[in-house]
Amino acid sequence: MKTDKSKSLFEEAKKYIPGGVNSPVRAFKSVGGDPLFITKGEGSKFWDSDGNEYIEYIGSWGPHLFGHNPIFIKEALSKALENGTSFGAPTKMEVKMAQIINELVPSVEKVRMVNSGTEATMSAVRAARGYTGREKFIKFEGCYHGHADYFLIKAGSGALTLGVPTSPGVTKGNAADTLLADYNDIKSVKKLLSANKNEIAAIIIEPIAGNMGVIKVKDKFINELRGICNEENIVLIFDEVMSGFRVAAGGAQEIIGIMPDLTAFGKIIGGGLPVGAFGGKTEIMDNIAPSGPVYQAGTLSGNPLAMAAGYAALKHIKDNPSIYKELEEESSYLERGFKDNLISVGKNYAMNRVGSMMCMFFTEEPVDDFNSAVKSDTEMYGKYFHEMLKRGIYLAPAQFEALFVSTTHKKDDLDKTIKAHKEALDAIM
Ligand code: KE4
């Protein structure tokens, strides 16, 4: 497959952009090789600068629930564009957006728009700290909440010691208030609670993790976590940047049946434009400036173009609830095909799927937390990734991500993908 144009673009890009990309995972570092520069997307496909066509399962890392360039988002955007791009003043679309989020996700009584998932989770933690007057918060190993300093933390030497930065530039001071627990392990949460009595403002979790591959919380665990937060007056934050509107109209909290106190959104909520949001209980959200003292702001928050695209996406979800049944059929068909292939090559790789989020781990042990996920053979994943790419299937260029099926991935795409998957497994075994 010719990729000369992407190669020369990558050389050019590296002269001006760190690593030649504007987000690290795009650089193919964990699978090897050079990234492909994409020129156009349509439905379930996109094309690189050398004209190669791919059936792709990144969906811009989650936003494209309806595939690339859906007509109803394109039309909404061009209509909004006629009136200008941004005013820095309130608009009717922001009210409609807040209303439809509240309709689809009842736990979100009030919501503030921001411009990325990171801004959403970062602001939600600040809201919880402002509301409780406490400073520490608990996150879980393997969950990614964006790149705010206090999220780039890993467990210290002893599980009870304070976190340590995972990145230069993140200060010890910032790490000091971040505590690390183990996903699906309520004992690890209880240990931190007793060691930090009345000091914990929030517990933030991806109810369906998509950043250590795909892992869903266990029912018993999440119910106990909800109970602990009620007893200890801790704000329970669901990071639904990826799962929000992805696994159900009401997100993971709809299928799990637990209401968090705050929820962070991103990705689908922007219809492909930069949008995040955080929201939840009125008593917490009313503390946010200008109605309360917790400061939070954004020049382009709620801007008309992003609201037009985001609202078109959420309105389409509201008007077409059957899309989740369709996504379930397509995604389970793909999963079935992958599993049949694994049986035929005699491998029992772990396959986790929730709705249209899926991950095949190169480990034969079940994967239900960070420690089991990292047993995956990432080198094998790299080989698999390139064997699939050669066959016109573009997957996440990293093992610990999610594969996203969209409403535009039809049987023909899925059959081609299943066939390529079998050939790729044969090639790497
Ligand atoms: P952004 O700031 O990238 O919009 O959102 C951060 C974020 C927060 N919470 C969850 C659960 C997320 O998955 C993300 C971002 N997801 C990654 C994919 N693993 C984005 C891809 C990238 O970093 O380029």
Side-chain angles (χ1 to χ4, degrees):
M1 178 167 54
K2 225 170 63 56
T3 59
D4 309 2
K5 291 206 174 79
S6 281
K7 282 201 184 325
S8 57
L9 278 168
F10 190 43
E11 290 317 307
E12 199 60 15
K14 283 189 283 190
K15 291 179 197 160
Y16 306 101
I17 306 169
V21 291
N22 281 311
S23 200
V25 71
R26 302 178 194 170
F28 279 24
K29 279 254 181 276
S30 78
V31 293
D34 290 341
L36 298 171
F37 281 61
I38 303 303
T39 53
K40 174 181 165 44
E42 194 64 47
S44 59
K45 299 180 181 60
F46 63 22
W47 288 261
D48 70 15
S49 310
D50 295 274
N52 300 305
E53 176 181 299
Y54 304 91
I55 299 169
E56 72 95 0
Y57 290 92
I58 301 256
S60 178
W61 299 97
H64 296 328
L65 188 68
F66 317 107
H68 290 275
N69 232 5
I71 186 70
F72 55 90
I73 291 182
K74 218 162 39 173
E75 284 171 352
L77 265 178
S78 50
K79 192 158 157 281
L81 199 50
E82 283 158 24
N83 299 328
T85 55
S86 181
F87 312 124
T91 62
K92 182 179 171 192
M93 272 313 277
E94 292 164 83
V95 183
K96 290 175 71 171
M97 192 64 171
Q99 284 168 331
I100 197 167
I101 293 168
N102 171 258
E103 263 179 76
L104 294 175
V105 193
S107 72
V108 179
E109 296 168 351
K110 282 198 175 167
V111 65
R112 168 62 58 86
M113 305 311 297
V114 294
N115 301 284
S116 71
T118 295
E119 264 197 271
T121 53
M122 177 180 88
S123 309
V125 168
R126 186 182 311 139
R129 285 170 157 164
Y131 173 69
T132 59
R134 300 172 183 173
E135 298 191 354
K136 291 178 181 171
F137 76 97
I138 294 176
K139 77 175 285 291
F140 293 87
E141 284 268 50
C143 283
Y144 175 70
H145 303 297
H147 65 91
D149 282 7
Y150 38 79
F151 295 134
L152 300 182
I153 310 292
K154 64 177 186 281
S157 46
L160 291 191
T161 54
L162 303 177
V164 294
T166 57
S167 160
V170 175
T171 63
K172 284 198 288 297
N174 246 308
D177 294 324
T178 306
L179 304 170
L180 271 294
D182 298 323
Y183 201 77
N184 277 325
D185 173 358
I186 204 68
K187 286 198 303 297
S188 69
V189 175
K190 288 177 176 169
K191 271 188 203 159
L192 291 174
L193 287 179
S194 49
N196 299 276
K197 203 85 189 112
N198 297 325
E199 291 184 78
I200 295 171
I203 296 180
I204 185 168
I205 189 164
E206 287 179 66
I208 297 170
N211 292 287
M212 48 176 154
V214 177
I215 304 176
K216 184 168 175 254
V217 285
K218 290 185 176 134
D219 285 349
K220 188 166 177 298
F221 167 76
I222 194 67
N223 277 283
E224 286 185 297
L225 197 66
R226 177 68 274 179
I228 285 171
C229 288
N230 294 339
E231 284 150 32
E232 306 283 338
N233 296 313
I234 292 172
V235 176
L236 178 59
I237 303 172
F238 275 8
D239 176 351
E240 294 224 44
V241 167
M242 194 184 281
S243 57
F245 314 108
R246 163 63 58 180
V247 297
Q253 55 196 270
E254 177 185 309
I255 55 174
I256 292 169
I258 292 276
M259 285 182 109
D261 302 311
L262 292 178
T263 303
F265 298 103
K267 299 180 193 280
I268 291 171
I269 196 175
L273 267 67
V275 177
F278 69 102
K281 283 185 174 159
T282 299
E283 66 195 88
I284 302 174
M285 292 304 289
D286 275 354
N287 282 283
I288 302 292
S291 52
V294 180
Y295 196 68
Q296 190 282 329
T299 304
L300 291 169
S301 296
N303 80 79
L305 292 191
M307 291 299 98
Y311 184 76
L314 299 190
K315 184 80 171 52
H316 189 82
I317 286 171
K318 184 183 164 198
D319 297 347
N320 303 276
S322 62
I323 58 165
Y324 293 102
K325 187 170 162 300
E326 188 190 318
L327 283 165
E328 180 56 29
E329 280 158 13
E330 291 164 355
S331 308
S332 56
Y333 181 83
L334 188 67
E335 179 187 26
R336 182 72 269 142
F338 279 23
K339 283 184 169 172
D340 291 345
N341 290 343
L342 287 171
I343 291 168
S344 67
V345 298
K347 285 288 177 187
N348 183 29
Y349 289 143
M351 286 278 292
N352 288 356
R353 177 177 71 81
V354 183
S356 56
M357 284 172 68
M358 185 164 103
C359 182
M360 180 178 81
F361 296 86
F362 279 80
T363 171
E364 299 197 82
E365 318 247 324
V367 174
D368 61 6
D369 64 7
F370 179 69
N371 291 330
S372 48
V374 294
K375 286 182 182 158
S376 305
D377 181 338
T378 51
E379 213 178 301
M380 278 293 262
Y381 183 84
K383 291 185 187 131
Y384 163 71
F385 169 83
H386 283 289
E387 288 300 331
M388 291 290 268
L389 198 62
K390 268 176 6 191
R391 294 168 174 83
I393 310 296
Y394 191 112
L395 301 174
Q399 163 73 87
F400 305 114
E401 297 290 349
L403 173 157
F404 296 105
V405 180
S406 79
T407 53
T408 56
H409 284 88
K410 297 302 176 201
K411 194 167 180 307
D412 178 46
D413 294 328
L414 302 173
D415 287 336
K416 280 183 186 145
T417 307
I418 292 165
K419 180 172 176 297
H421 178 259
K422 174 68 172 63
E423 291 169 4
L425 289 175
D426 288 339
I428 64 174
M429 290 300 150

